[in-house]
Amino acid sequence: MTPIFKHLRVCLFVLLSGLSQHASAIYIDINFSGSLSTSQQAVFTQAEQFWENTLTGYQPSINANALSNIVINAKGEAIDGAGGILGSAGPTYIWDIGGYILSSEGDMRFDTADLANLENNGTLESVIRHEMAHVLGFGVLWELNGVYVEGSGQYTGANALSLWQTEFGQSNATYIPIEAGGGPGTAEAHWDEVNFGSAATGILDEDNNDLRDELMTGWLNSNAFISDMTIASFVDIGYEVALSEVPIPAAAYLFLSALTGLVLVKRKQSC
């Protein structure tokens, strides 16, 4: 799909002291617009609370006192009709601080043709958690943080890779395979599901969950779960986390995407 973002603004901060300072938590502010009902907005808030509890702070090199809350602009709008693309998301403003590129603000958009059905069948929170993860940097800020090279299909961030080796039994792996299919917005922004979600991959975690059902693959399936590998990947891009494999609301076979291909970066010295 075609990205909606024209550019990113990067905020550059200089540490004035040799002492690192970091907050004990991150905070997300959601601005709602478009056709989102009160009950749908409540599901956004639940997803927000999940990520605030999971991402517990920033890495010690980051002066979190210089950072403001992460702002997410959530909107319901017509995209492509029922059953197609459910939503998309990604950062629109980013911080360059402490050796990491972090999300400062982002957009989440959901197709109004799908929202009611997602809410009624209990899958809406799964979709929102997935897209919110993209705003927070999953898939979209990998290259800028040096854990992925475009076109390689190989995620090399040390923390997630360690969990790929242990949690999913890939002890000899030197990288995590990244999705190459699905087109722009899906390719190179998700864990590789091998077969587009149409069948089990045979790659199992310690609890016999199949990789196909991991939340941050490109297709959302039933029995969805968030692996410690996914949570650890946020350490690779600047966060501190609480590792815990958390089941999420069951989901049907759905298409998910991130907004990637952010080719023009506007840099400013102050924000």
Side-chain angles (χ1 to χ4, degrees), residues 47 50-51 123-134 138 168 189-191 193 209-231 234 245-252 254-257:
F50 169 80
W51 284 116
T123 64
L124 183 58
E125 186 173 358
S126 299
V127 177
I128 293 174
R129 284 190 188 184
H130 177 107
E131 300 297 353
M132 196 170 289
H134 287 309
F138 185 96
F168 286 93
H190 301 88
W191 306 132
E193 200 160 338
N209 295 307
D210 192 278
L211 180 64
R212 177 190 65 170
D213 300 325
E214 219 285 335
L215 182 68
M216 298 313 298
T217 58
W219 289 264
L220 189 62
N221 294 278
S222 60
N223 303 314
F225 70 102
I226 298 177
S227 66
D228 280 346
M229 176 180 70
T230 286
I231 295 172
F234 285 94
E245 188 173 289
V246 182
I248 62 174
L254 304 172
F255 176 75
L256 299 167
S257 67

Side-chain angles (χ1 to χ4, degrees), residues 192-215:
D192 184 12
E193 200 160 338
V194 180
N195 51 28
F196 306 103
S198 62
T201 67
I203 301 171
L204 307 177
D205 73 358
E206 295 166 326
D207 296 320
N208 291 319
N209 295 307
D210 192 278
L211 180 64
R212 177 190 65 170
D213 300 325
E214 219 285 335
L215 182 68

Side-chain angles (χ1 to χ4, degrees), residues 26 47-57 129 136 226-228 230-232 234-235 239-244 246:
I26 69 164
E48 169 199 336
Q49 292 170 346
F50 169 80
W51 284 116
E52 286 178 337
N53 290 332
T54 300
L55 307 182
T56 57
R129 284 190 188 184
L136 296 169
I226 298 177
S227 66
D228 280 346
T230 286
I231 295 172
F234 285 94
V235 179
Y239 296 95
E240 291 183 340
V241 304
L243 283 178
S244 178
V246 182

Side-chain angles (χ1 to χ4, degrees), residues 256-267:
L256 299 167
S257 67
L259 290 174
T260 55
L262 306 175
V263 295
L264 178 59
V265 177
K266 181 180 289 187
R267 295 180 178 268

Side-chain angles (χ1 to χ4, degrees), residues 38-237:
T38 301
S39 59
Q40 290 163 359
Q41 291 180 26
V43 180
F44 274 86
T45 300
Q46 292 169 5
E48 169 199 336
Q49 292 170 346
F50 169 80
W51 284 116
E52 286 178 337
N53 290 332
T54 300
L55 307 182
T56 57
Y58 295 102
Q59 288 297 302
S61 64
I62 296 169
N63 179 12
N65 293 331
L67 308 182
S68 58
N69 293 355
I70 300 170
V71 176
I72 296 179
N73 304 302
K75 185 177 183 180
E77 61 181 32
I79 298 179
D80 66 349
I85 295 172
L86 305 176
S88 59
T92 51
Y93 293 85
I94 54 180
W95 290 303
D96 184 346
I97 182 171
Y100 294 95
I101 303 296
L102 298 167
S103 180
S104 168
E105 182 174 344
D107 290 349
M108 298 176 64
R109 51 195 290 264
F110 292 86
D111 197 334
T112 51
D114 294 303
L115 277 169
N117 183 55
L118 292 172
E119 184 177 17
N120 291 337
N121 66 24
T123 64
L124 183 58
E125 186 173 358
S126 299
V127 177
I128 293 174
R129 284 190 188 184
H130 177 107
E131 300 297 353
M132 196 170 289
H134 287 309
V135 173
L136 296 169
F138 185 96
V140 184
L141 298 181
W142 284 349
E143 289 183 61
L144 292 176
N145 281 292
V147 297
Y148 183 74
V149 175
E150 183 179 3
S152 69
Q154 301 179 3
Y155 179 99
T156 57
N159 291 279
L161 177 58
S162 176
L163 270 296
W164 176 241
Q165 294 167 338
T166 57
E167 187 179 16
F168 286 93
Q170 306 297 309
S171 58
N172 296 320
T174 57
Y175 62 86
I176 304 172
I178 297 304
E179 181 62 60
T186 299
E188 301 197 89
H190 301 88
W191 306 132
D192 184 12
E193 200 160 338
V194 180
N195 51 28
F196 306 103
S198 62
T201 67
I203 301 171
L204 307 177
D205 73 358
E206 295 166 326
D207 296 320
N208 291 319
N209 295 307
D210 192 278
L211 180 64
R212 177 190 65 170
D213 300 325
E214 219 285 335
L215 182 68
M216 298 313 298
T217 58
W219 289 264
L220 189 62
N221 294 278
S222 60
N223 303 314
F225 70 102
I226 298 177
S227 66
D228 280 346
M229 176 180 70
T230 286
I231 295 172
S233 74
F234 285 94
V235 179
D236 293 327
I237 59 174

Side-chain angles (χ1 to χ4, degrees), residues 7-30:
H7 62 266
L8 294 175
R9 185 180 73 184
V10 179
C11 304
L12 302 176
F13 293 100
V14 177
L15 295 182
L16 301 179
S17 170
L19 298 176
S20 65
Q21 305 175 56
H22 60 287
S24 60
I26 69 164
Y27 298 97
I28 300 169
D29 294 328
I30 302 179

